[in-house]
């Protein structure tokens, strides 16, 4: 009945669920009736703006050593990486002369004129290069005072490389606002300094329980930068052009901290009688706290929290193995978390908390023949439920229906 599905609830009082065209039907119609279809030349300027090339070369070397003294084991080492990037991409610029020419145009824009406009605005190319080198030391201690009880303390370093989109040449010139939006080929990776501590206990029957804590500090955080301006002179990086224009780009600035606790438990209940010894249970839980100091997330209504980090997560499940069966029922919890920050409270967005259930089942007739039946997202929880400041203000709502798969497996 109407009004019971997630789509109906979302589009309530909005005119109902809109019709959605099938892309397969569109492609088939275009193939059968090409005379009814015309290229949108203005739209297909994306062929120019999406023509990007990137070459990255990485050379690495490492050295490590291990020593064991009684119940204590120490592993240490360092890794060096040298990275060199070269890229080529489009320049987008609508000059005052071109803007005036378009404004003086009379009548509908012809295909020939539209192609000329595309080439004029997006036809220029730019290249850039970048290089960086880093060293990643680390020390890992392991302490096992009695059989089955293990404690680990680690200090490690790591990097988060900038995305290709941040370093590929992609320049947009706005002569009216006098701004240059450019990529930055000299972006360095985000460097992390990590401390991790865990204690694990392994049961005599199959299973283990563990607790842990971690602290990570990320320096050279990649954020936006609008503090630069183009200087005068032929060697200003733009062949003497755009003097005084504000440069909008990405830069390494600020820091981020991530700390948290985690716990996990899993055990095969082999001590139970009869068929029930095939039962198993497991659960894990992680709680994070984030803080940062960067132009991307400071002074917002959510404080210094970093967008994109799941604050609270957990899984719980029960399984059974035996009599040819391999069964598993699992629940995955993802707490509410910040997806984007802003100094404007109305633009701060969150993902609502959700719990999804899944079922997996296998039955093996023999070593070479079996069947399976799986159901993902049993209760059809929305894939995305993003809102701005208040849960009632949807910004993105994507339905994720239950996914059912089944089949036969075999090998020869």
């Amino acid at each position: 009945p109407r009004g019971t599905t997630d789509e109906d609830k979302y589009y309530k009082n909005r005119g109902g669920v809109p019709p959605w065209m099938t892309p397969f039907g569109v492609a088939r119609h275009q193939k059968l009736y090409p005379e009814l279809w015309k290229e949108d030349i203005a739209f297909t300027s994306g062929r120019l703006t999406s023509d990007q090339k990137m070459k990255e070369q990485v050379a690495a070397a490492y050295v490590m050593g291990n020593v064991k003294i009684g119940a204590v084991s120490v592993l240490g080492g360092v890794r060096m990486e040298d990275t060199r990037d070269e890229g080529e991409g489009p320049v987008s610029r609508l000059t005052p002369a071109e803007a005036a020419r378009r404004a003086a145009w009379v009548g509908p824009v012809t295909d020939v004129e539209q192609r000329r406009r595309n080439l004029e605005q997006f036809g220029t190319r730019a290249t850039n290069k970048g290089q960086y080198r880093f060293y990643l030391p680390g020390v890992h201690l392991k302490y096992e005072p009695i059989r089955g009880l293990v404690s680990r303390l680690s200090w490690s370093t790591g990097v988060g490389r900038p995305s290709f989109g941040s370093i590929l040449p992609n320049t947009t010139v706005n002569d009216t606002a006098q701004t240059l939006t450019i990529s930055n080929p000299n972006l360095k990776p985000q460097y992390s300094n990590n401390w991790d501590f865990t204690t694990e206990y392994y049961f005599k029957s199959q299973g283990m329980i563990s607790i842990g804590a971690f602290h990570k500090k990320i320096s050279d955080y990649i954020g936006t930068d609008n503090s630069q301006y183009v200087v005068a002179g032929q060697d200003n990086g733009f062949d003497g052009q755009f003097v005084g224009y504000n440069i909008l780009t990405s830069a390494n600035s600020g820091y981020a901290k991530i700390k948290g606790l985690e716990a996990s438990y899993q055990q095969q209940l082999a001590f139970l009688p009869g068929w029930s010894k095939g039962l198993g249970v497991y659960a894990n839980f992680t709680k994070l706290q984030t803080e940062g100091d960067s132009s991307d997330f400071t002074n917002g209504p959510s404080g210094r929290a970093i967008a994109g980090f799941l604050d609270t997560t957990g899984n719980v499940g029960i399984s059974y193995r035996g009599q040819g069966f391999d069964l598993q029922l699992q629940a995955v919890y993802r707490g509410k978390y910040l997806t984007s920050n802003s100094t404007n409270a109305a633009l701060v967005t969150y993902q609502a908390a959700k719990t999804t259930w899944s079922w997996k089942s296998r039955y093996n007739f023999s070593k070479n023949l079996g069947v399976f039946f799986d159901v993902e997202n049993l209760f059809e929880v929305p894939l995305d439920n993003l809102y701005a400041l208040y849960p009632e203000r949807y910004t993105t709502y994507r339905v994720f229906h239950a996914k059912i798969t089944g089949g036969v497996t075999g090998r020869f």
Side-chain angles (χ1 to χ4, degrees):
R2 299 290 296 175
T4 58
T5 67
D6 289 324
E7 296 98 326
D8 292 329
K9 293 176 183 177
Y10 180 67
Y11 288 105
K12 184 179 180 181
N13 300 324
R14 301 187 186 191
V17 180
W20 302 102
M21 292 185 294
T22 166
F24 303 103
V26 171
R28 183 173 182 272
H29 191 275
Q30 184 180 18
K31 182 178 180 180
L32 293 174
Y33 307 101
E35 70 279 3
L36 300 179
W37 292 81
K38 181 180 181 296
E39 179 185 2
D40 186 344
I41 298 175
F43 177 79
T44 54
S45 63
R47 296 178 182 178
L48 297 173
T49 58
S50 62
D51 183 9
Q52 298 174 307
K53 300 176 183 178
M54 185 72 191
K55 179 181 179 182
E56 184 172 69
Q57 293 179 309
V58 180
Y62 69 91
V63 60
M64 62 181 295
N66 185 33
V67 61
K68 185 173 183 181
I69 305 173
V72 178
S73 174
V74 182
L75 174 67
V78 62
R79 175 182 175 87
M80 182 279 293
E81 286 193 11
D82 182 87
T83 303
R84 305 186 181 201
D85 296 318
E86 296 181 14
E88 179 186 321
V91 175
S92 173
R93 185 187 186 188
L94 183 61
T95 64
E98 174 63 17
R101 177 171 177 173
R102 294 184 185 185
W105 181 269
V106 178
V109 177
T110 64
D111 289 351
V112 173
E113 170 64 12
Q114 186 60 62
R115 288 193 175 92
R116 187 203 65 78
R117 293 183 179 189
N118 292 347
L119 290 172
E120 179 66 27
Q121 184 173 354
F122 306 109
T124 306
R125 308 288 292 173
T127 60
N128 60 17
K129 295 182 179 181
Q131 179 181 0
Y132 56 84
R133 178 181 297 173
F134 54 80
Y135 298 87
L136 301 175
V139 180
H140 310 276
L141 283 75
K142 176 183 175 183
Y143 178 56
E144 190 172 3
I146 61 174
R147 183 177 178 83
L149 179 63
V150 181
S151 294
R152 294 182 173 87
L153 176 63
S154 298
W155 169 70
S156 62
T157 52
V159 296
R161 295 177 181 274
S163 65
F164 281 164
S166 299
I167 56 182
L168 271 168
N170 192 0
T171 303
T172 300
V173 181
N174 188 325
D175 291 291
T176 303
Q178 292 197 330
T179 61
L180 287 175
T181 303
I182 62 176
S183 56
N184 184 358
N186 291 310
L187 275 178
K188 297 183 294 183
Q190 300 177 138
Y191 188 88
S192 67
N193 199 323
N194 317 309
W195 287 93
D196 295 89
F197 173 78
T198 59
T199 295
E200 304 164 351
Y201 179 72
Y202 295 86
F203 305 120
K204 290 183 180 179
S205 59
Q206 301 176 33
M208 58 92 70
I209 185 171
S210 71
I211 57 173
F214 55 88
H215 182 281
K216 305 177 187 293
K217 182 173 181 179
I218 303 173
S219 56
D220 287 332
Y221 198 89
I222 297 176
T224 55
D225 178 23
N226 59 0
S227 63
Q228 303 177 59
Y229 291 84
V230 181
V231 298
Q234 285 299 119
D235 58 349
N236 66 355
F238 301 97
D239 297 327
Q241 303 181 79
F242 314 125
V243 176
Y245 280 40
N246 187 198
I247 299 176
L248 310 178
T249 186
S250 299
N252 296 101
S253 63
Y255 72 87
K257 290 182 181 178
I258 307 165
K259 55 185 177 180
L261 300 172
E262 53 189 358
S264 65
Y265 163 74
Q266 60 180 18
Q267 187 173 11
Q268 192 70 29
L269 307 182
F271 54 84
L272 294 177
W275 66 268
S276 59
K277 66 176 59 179
L279 289 170
V281 292
Y282 62 91
N284 59 68
F285 177 80
T286 302
K287 181 66 177 178
L288 293 180
Q289 183 179 353
T290 63
E291 174 190 343
D293 183 8
S294 166
S295 59
D296 281 356
F297 48 73
T298 53
N299 303 321
S302 55
R304 294 188 172 186
I306 305 174
F309 281 87
L310 287 165
D311 300 330
T312 307
T313 60
N315 304 302
V316 63
I318 183 170
S319 62
Y320 177 77
R321 287 185 178 181
Q323 313 298 319
F325 289 98
D326 186 353
L327 312 175
Q328 183 184 80
L329 177 65
Q330 176 180 261
V332 178
Y333 173 76
R334 299 289 183 265
K336 164 192 164 183
Y337 69 94
L338 180 71
T339 58
S340 67
N341 211 336
S342 173
T343 54
N344 184 342
L347 300 180
V348 178
T349 59
Y350 300 88
Q351 165 68 46
K354 64 178 181 178
T355 301
T356 56
W357 290 79
S358 63
W359 166 262
K360 294 184 178 182
S361 56
R362 303 284 188 277
Y363 181 76
N364 296 316
F365 297 101
S366 65
K367 292 183 179 180
N368 299 325
L369 182 63
V371 294
F372 68 93
F373 179 77
D374 300 340
V375 182
E376 187 178 349
N377 194 20
L378 279 165
F379 302 107
E380 300 193 339
V381 176
L383 178 63
D384 290 326
N385 187 358
L386 303 180
Y387 62 89
L389 193 58
Y390 299 107
E392 296 81 11
R393 295 180 59 201
Y394 290 107
T395 60
T396 302
Y397 188 91
R398 288 198 295 167
V399 177
F400 180 23
H401 294 296
K403 178 182 177 180
I404 300 175
T405 57
V408 179
T409 60
R411 59 183 179 181
F412 298 97

